[in-house]
Amino acid sequence: MRAIWTGAITFGLVNVPVKVYSATEDHDVPLHQVHDEDGGRIRYQRRCEIDGKVIPYEHIAKAYDDGERTVILTPEDIASLPSERSREIDVVEFVPNDQLDPLMFDRSYYLEPDSKSLKAYALLRKTLEDEERTAIVEFALRQKTRLAALRVRGNVLVLQTLLWHDEIREADFPALDQTPRISDRELQLSSALMESFAGDFEPEKFSDEYQVELRKLIDAKLEEGDSVDTAATFGEEETEKKGGGEVIDLMEALQRSVERSRSTKTSTSASGTKKAPAKKAPAKKAPAKKSAKKPA
């Protein structure tokens, strides 16, 4: 793994330098869109809805739309905002583990101790375990202030970003205001059914069957030769990059190449510097005579 951020856990006068790593990764097979007839990649263009032009990134600004009006924020406007560049994971408070609602958890990160802070790291980990508490912290990541929970998982400290209070919606459903009557017999049967499914949670027992079968399908197609050359699916992409954004039609590019090749051969023959091309010169006069007869 590669560290995405480095900083230090701080509380009081205690400072624990750490490296931050993403604790999760997406296992989905990456898919993209292509034309079903020739396999060509489908591109999305940044087209302006007013003048219809494709806009380069340097002329794209951020904006806020309130439904009636749009406020355009220039790069200068964004740069004027206070930027968060602190490298500290600042402990705000230590709370009981059971006070955290799982609904608040967002992304998870592993914290690796710096080689010089191993003892301080182990001390913090041990204290959190013994006291059965989680540290609520604030830190800055990608120029945004984050709220997070710092807790223990095995022998590693885990940092889990939390959603802000106003980002969690209230479950306001009128139907839940009613309390249906549940008999003792119904409750007993429901408990018995639940008991029949009881067990200890073992994550490794579960797998994403769809992604597994999708990978098998792709591998089978590759083995059978049911595929196209990847470079060909990008069409004129390389030409576009070299030409400063100009998209050249593939047929036009081929035609120009043929004409350039013929021109080179003709000029070489006319100079007489090479014997082989000079011998072929008479053969080129025949097509010229035929082309002259066509108009008649």
Side-chain angles (χ1 to χ4, degrees), residues 188-289:
Q188 290 174 0
L189 290 174
S190 179
S191 297
L193 179 60
M194 185 178 296
E195 184 61 30
S196 68
F197 284 89
D200 294 323
F201 180 56
E202 299 175 24
E204 62 275 9
K205 294 193 306 184
F206 303 91
S207 62
D208 189 339
E209 293 184 6
Y210 178 86
Q211 293 298 324
V212 171
E213 293 303 318
L214 176 58
R215 172 54 67 186
K216 289 181 180 178
L217 175 62
I218 292 174
D219 290 342
K221 281 182 169 288
L222 287 172
E223 187 175 347
E224 294 171 3
D226 186 7
S227 61
V228 295
D229 182 69
T230 299
T233 67
F234 283 94
E236 312 86 34
E237 184 177 65
E238 293 302 320
T239 305
E240 179 181 352
K241 289 180 180 178
K242 294 177 182 179
E246 180 184 3
V247 179
I248 300 177
D249 181 76
L250 179 59
M251 289 300 295
E252 182 182 352
L254 290 172
Q255 183 63 36
R256 289 183 183 179
S257 299
V258 172
E259 291 174 355
R260 180 178 298 177
S261 176
R262 288 178 177 174
S263 176
T264 302
K265 289 181 180 179
T266 302
S267 61
T268 302
S269 300
S271 65
T273 55
K274 293 184 179 181
K275 294 181 180 180
K279 293 179 180 179
K280 294 183 179 180
K284 291 185 178 180
K285 295 180 180 179
K289 292 180 180 179

Side-chain angles (χ1 to χ4, degrees), residues 11-290:
F11 58 103
L13 298 178
V14 178
N15 185 287
V16 186
V18 293
K19 295 179 181 179
V20 181
Y21 299 82
S22 293
T24 60
E25 61 183 358
D26 189 354
H27 71 185
D28 287 359
V29 177
L31 300 176
H32 54 259
Q33 295 182 326
V34 298
H35 186 189
D36 60 355
E37 292 185 2
D38 54 24
R41 294 289 183 97
I42 302 299
R43 302 182 187 179
Y44 293 92
Q45 298 178 318
R46 304 172 298 277
R47 192 176 298 279
C48 175
E49 295 185 2
I50 295 180
D51 59 22
K53 296 180 180 179
V54 176
I55 310 301
Y57 278 114
E58 59 266 26
H59 292 297
I60 295 179
K62 297 181 183 296
Y64 172 76
D65 175 14
D66 67 358
E68 297 181 359
R69 296 168 299 175
T70 295
V71 176
I72 299 176
L73 301 174
T74 66
E76 291 74 20
D77 293 330
I78 300 297
S80 69
L81 298 175
S83 178
E84 296 286 355
R85 293 188 175 88
S86 172
R87 287 290 177 177
E88 293 185 347
I89 300 174
D90 189 24
V91 176
V92 179
E93 58 185 0
F94 293 97
V95 302
N97 293 337
D98 58 7
Q99 286 188 358
L100 285 171
D101 184 351
L103 193 63
M104 296 183 67
F105 292 133
D106 190 12
R107 294 183 178 276
S108 301
Y109 302 91
Y110 290 136
L111 301 186
E112 177 191 23
D114 184 274
S115 57
K116 298 178 181 179
S117 66
L118 183 57
K119 185 173 183 179
Y121 182 98
L123 177 61
L124 175 58
R125 181 185 62 200
K126 179 63 173 173
T127 305
L128 288 173
E129 277 186 314
D130 292 349
E131 298 296 327
E132 297 184 350
R133 288 183 178 272
T134 296
I136 302 301
V137 303
E138 287 185 346
F139 70 107
L141 180 63
R142 299 187 181 95
Q143 296 187 336
K144 288 186 178 181
T145 300
R146 317 276 178 165
L147 183 68
L150 179 63
R151 65 183 187 84
V152 179
R153 183 177 188 270
N155 66 342
V156 66
L157 290 176
V158 175
L159 187 69
Q160 290 183 284
T161 55
L162 303 174
L163 298 175
W164 297 97
H165 177 71
D166 59 358
E167 291 182 311
I168 299 178
R169 296 176 174 177
E170 289 293 331
D172 185 15
F173 303 115
L176 297 180
D177 294 335
Q178 303 176 17
T179 305
R181 182 179 176 280
I182 299 177
S183 66
D184 293 340
R185 180 56 178 167
E186 290 172 328
L187 187 58
Q188 290 174 0
L189 290 174
S190 179
S191 297
L193 179 60
M194 185 178 296
E195 184 61 30
S196 68
F197 284 89
D200 294 323
F201 180 56
E202 299 175 24
E204 62 275 9
K205 294 193 306 184
F206 303 91
S207 62
D208 189 339
E209 293 184 6
Y210 178 86
Q211 293 298 324
V212 171
E213 293 303 318
L214 176 58
R215 172 54 67 186
K216 289 181 180 178
L217 175 62
I218 292 174
D219 290 342
K221 281 182 169 288
L222 287 172
E223 187 175 347
E224 294 171 3
D226 186 7
S227 61
V228 295
D229 182 69
T230 299
T233 67
F234 283 94
E236 312 86 34
E237 184 177 65
E238 293 302 320
T239 305
E240 179 181 352
K241 289 180 180 178
K242 294 177 182 179
E246 180 184 3
V247 179
I248 300 177
D249 181 76
L250 179 59
M251 289 300 295
E252 182 182 352
L254 290 172
Q255 183 63 36
R256 289 183 183 179
S257 299
V258 172
E259 291 174 355
R260 180 178 298 177
S261 176
R262 288 178 177 174
S263 176
T264 302
K265 289 181 180 179
T266 302
S267 61
T268 302
S269 300
S271 65
T273 55
K274 293 184 179 181
K275 294 181 180 180
K279 293 179 180 179
K280 294 183 179 180
K284 291 185 178 180
K285 295 180 180 179
K289 292 180 180 179
K290 291 182 180 180

